[in-house]
Amino acid sequence: MFRTALRNVLAHKARLLMTVLAVMLGVAFVSGTLVFADTLSNAFRNQSAKSYDDVAVAVTSYADENDAEQEPGISEKTLGKVAALDGVAAAHGRVDGFAGVADPDGKLIGVGWSNKGSNFAPGKGGKDPAYTFTEGAGPAQDDQIALDADSAAKGRYAVGDRVRVATNGPVKEYTLSGVFTTRDGAVNAGGSLVLFDTDVAQKLYLKPGYYRDVTVTAAPGADDARILDAVEPLLPENAEAQTGQALADKQAADIEEGLGALKQVLLGFAAIALFVGVFLISNTFTMLVAQRTRELALMRAVGASRRQITRSVLIEAAIVGAVASAVGFVLGIGLTMGLRSGMAAFGMKVPDGPLVISATPVIAAFAVGVLVTMFAAWLPGRRAAKIPPVAAMGSVHAAASTKSLVLRNSVGSVLTGLGAGGIVWGASAGGDTGRMLIAGGAFLALIGVIVLIPQLSRPVIALLRPLLVGVFSVAGKLAGRNAVRNPRRTGATASALAIGLTLVTGLSVLGVTVGRAVDKMTTDNIKADYMVTMANGGALDQSALTALEKAPGVSAVSPQQAVYFEVKGDFASASAVTPGDIGKVLNVEVVKGSLDTLAKGGIAVAEKTATKKGWKVGDSLPVTFNDKKKGSLEVGAVFKDSEFLSPVLVSTEVANPHEVKPYIPEIFVKTDGGQSAANEKALIDALGDNPAIAVMDRQDIRDQFGGMINTLLNIMYGLLAMALIIAVLGVVNTLAMSVFERQQEIGMLRAIGLDRRRVKRMVRLEAVVISVFGAVVGIGLGSFLGWAIGETFRDKIPGYALVLPWDRIGLFLVLAGLVGVLAAMWPARSAARLNMLTAIKTE
């Protein structure tokens, strides 16, 4: 039977090509993901280990900057004691924070969140072991900095140039003293690293005489554990010490965990692609078995058992799966290399390291490829085994029995009904429980629809037939009939496309609905013309607020300053705002009282919080501020809850005396005359043309809150593209084999006057009908799932209302039709080129 299976594979190489491609793409996705994750994990682990090669002990301070009673970090005195310990060769104090470098055009170098500043900490010989200088030297004066090599190249800076650097305060110019290379994670993430003189860095990021971190280097022969035991008693309560090896291991575990989440997501999409591929593979083997009915029946007649027939089909599938897996694994390695290059092209540096090919991706690739192919071929193999020897007398296998169709439709109806019920139940339950119910219901409904899809093909395609006949005449009539001639085949082909479009449509409905709700929430709540934030998402300096208040053309300005204080033993989250101006920049709908009381030292409370706590206008609340001082605040107003406001509003004049350093995430600005280029320039100039500060207009604000949703949608579309490509291959495969089966019929049509152009049109229309049918099923099921999932968090998003993206749905239908046209190009051309006489003689 093995020789028979091998002969069949070699005899049907062209017909099995699409199956090989489907398995190959799925395996490439799986193996590429595993190799990519292993390669990245190994590279980052090695980099992490190298970073701590010379570190015996690492000390980190977790001081609360708002707690005046705590030491803000590790003092110079403590650092000196650590450096004097037996076995310690050197101890380097580190302090770091945000630092953005402007290029010659004034734009920020790097990606904001990974732009970092630190101190140059030279030891004996004037060198800092963390950095290798390729030009110049480390900063030795207050007005000097050193810059990492990549950032210096991007900014076209050379030693001696003046460089504009933004921290959380105003922009300052420094002289570039040196350029260095480093293994720092910020630089490898596409950011920048600025080194300041230690005194400057301490003033910028902490407090003179204090460090946030200390790295200890051991003398030759010293034991790291003993040094750790000696260091720990010297540290303040808010500091923690661990060996360099322990820290490297922890970072390696964190890297593994982070990449593990990415790996799971990518493998999930690979599973979807393989699931779609199952239909293509099953379809291929079903058609091959149907074409070999006489051959298989003769084998039964000469003594082959049913088990042997099934086994021969499965061996054939295993051979195809093994070949596809081998090619797919090689393609997966190429995909890994492409991803690494792509990350570098987008400014995300991946540490150098070898390509890691462990046993896991190899085993997974071949196991997945072979098992999926054999699983998909199992049912056609069973059908082949049931072919009676008497069928050798005929040319085709008998049609499926009425009993089998009734059983199939009954099972499909039950599964679809249970799935739909689970989805509706989950939508009404809401929360995590509801989403779990929807996931289970979606699985059942999808399987049920796949089982029912052959039965659904007749009525759905019947609706399209009048259009086909009216527009395309004879070719359209023939295409409509051909599409429903074999409902099982049409259903299996359409199922692959339906699965992909179910996921794409569900994501689109959910994404567009949430995006519209977020957009409406933004426009309804923000009156300001501009929102000012830090590029790294951190806090703005108080000087930025002062500068904006003095800027020309500004009519109102208020920060959204984060404040926490204790009320009757419970912590309350508050926003410190500018009284009088807050109502001009944000929509604050007052229910009781007046916001004017903020200027008199009162507070405003959100309605839900006031109800929950039992607070009313006029109540005096005892509070404990951040600096542990006590006082009382009177409730002067109750306002409707808003996503842009904390549950409590208080004046900046009340909050600031109790804050060591105000934390201001954003500032809202209203200008005379509204948005204009002149007003925006005035704000930028007032902020000192700071590259690290973003001045966003109303459209930018909307894009910031809604743009992430569109970005995620685009990523999902990209990942689902593999499944859709496999679905397209399924359409090509079905049409190619259908044309092969109908050679005699096509020859007869050509003989009675159907010209080549109409033959091509017939095949194309058949492909379009099958593709659009799959798209209609997928769009319907996807819209249903999008609605259900949205219902589970409706109460979390104010103004949430279902939005069906008709423009995208229309685009999906058009693309489905285009897929049909493209998929039919080769089969249509083959059909049109058939020799009439040869085709008529074909059995």
Side-chain angles (χ1 to χ4, degrees), residues 431-444:
D432 292 337
T433 303
R435 285 187 279 277
M436 291 294 291
L437 288 170
I438 290 171
F443 177 76
L444 290 176

Side-chain angles (χ1 to χ4, degrees), residues 352-405:
D352 292 331
L355 198 66
V356 178
I357 304 175
S358 63
T360 301
V362 177
I363 294 170
F366 282 89
V368 166
V370 173
L371 291 177
V372 165
T373 311
M374 291 180 69
F375 171 75
W378 175 72
L379 194 57
R382 282 196 64 203
R383 289 195 192 122
K386 292 180 180 178
I387 296 174
V390 73
M393 300 295 183
S395 58
V396 293
H397 185 35
S401 67
T402 304
K403 180 182 177 182
S404 68
L405 291 175

Side-chain angles (χ1 to χ4, degrees), residues 141-279:
Q141 300 175 16
D142 289 357
D143 68 338
Q144 290 183 334
I145 61 162
L147 196 58
D148 70 275
D150 285 345
S151 298
K154 290 174 185 175
R156 302 187 294 279
Y157 291 122
V159 173
D161 288 349
R162 297 290 285 177
V163 182
R164 296 177 71 242
V165 180
T167 54
N168 285 36
V171 180
K172 292 183 180 180
E173 278 199 355
Y174 298 86
T175 299
L176 185 63
S177 67
V179 176
F180 59 88
T181 59
T182 177
R183 293 190 291 263
D184 192 281
V187 176
N188 286 312
S192 61
L193 178 59
V194 181
L195 294 182
F196 299 93
D197 177 71
T198 295
D199 291 341
V200 173
Q202 287 176 332
K203 290 174 186 176
L204 285 171
Y205 300 126
L206 202 58
K207 186 178 179 181
Y210 285 90
Y211 301 94
R212 185 169 284 118
D213 304 300
V214 171
T215 55
V216 180
T217 305
D223 182 66
D224 292 354
R226 288 188 178 180
I227 294 175
L228 176 65
D229 292 339
V231 167
E232 284 180 327
L234 304 176
L235 303 178
E237 292 181 0
N238 53 30
E240 178 189 9
Q242 53 189 318
T243 64
Q245 184 60 52
L247 196 57
D249 291 343
K250 183 179 181 300
Q251 284 202 2
D254 292 342
I255 290 166
E256 201 73 41
E257 184 179 348
L259 289 174
L262 173 64
K263 183 161 65 175
Q264 294 302 322
V265 171
L266 292 176
L267 287 176
F269 283 95
I272 293 168
L274 287 166
F275 184 55
V276 171
V278 166
F279 294 94

Side-chain angles (χ1 to χ4, degrees), residues 267-341:
L267 287 176
F269 283 95
I272 293 168
L274 287 166
F275 184 55
V276 171
V278 166
F279 294 94
L280 189 158
I281 299 163
S282 181
N283 229 6
T284 301
F285 278 94
T286 297
M287 288 186 279
L288 286 174
V289 166
Q291 290 167 14
R292 286 157 42 200
T293 299
R294 294 184 67 182
E295 174 192 329
L296 294 171
L298 282 170
M299 289 175 65
R300 292 276 287 114
V302 298
S305 66
R306 288 188 174 185
R307 185 175 296 177
Q308 285 177 310
I309 296 295
T310 303
R311 193 184 303 152
S312 72
V313 175
L314 291 178
I315 291 171
E316 191 175 333
I319 294 169
V320 172
V323 172
S325 297
V327 178
F329 182 73
V330 174
L331 188 63
I333 293 173
L335 184 64
T336 297
M337 296 170 69
L339 283 171
R340 287 185 70 172
S341 301

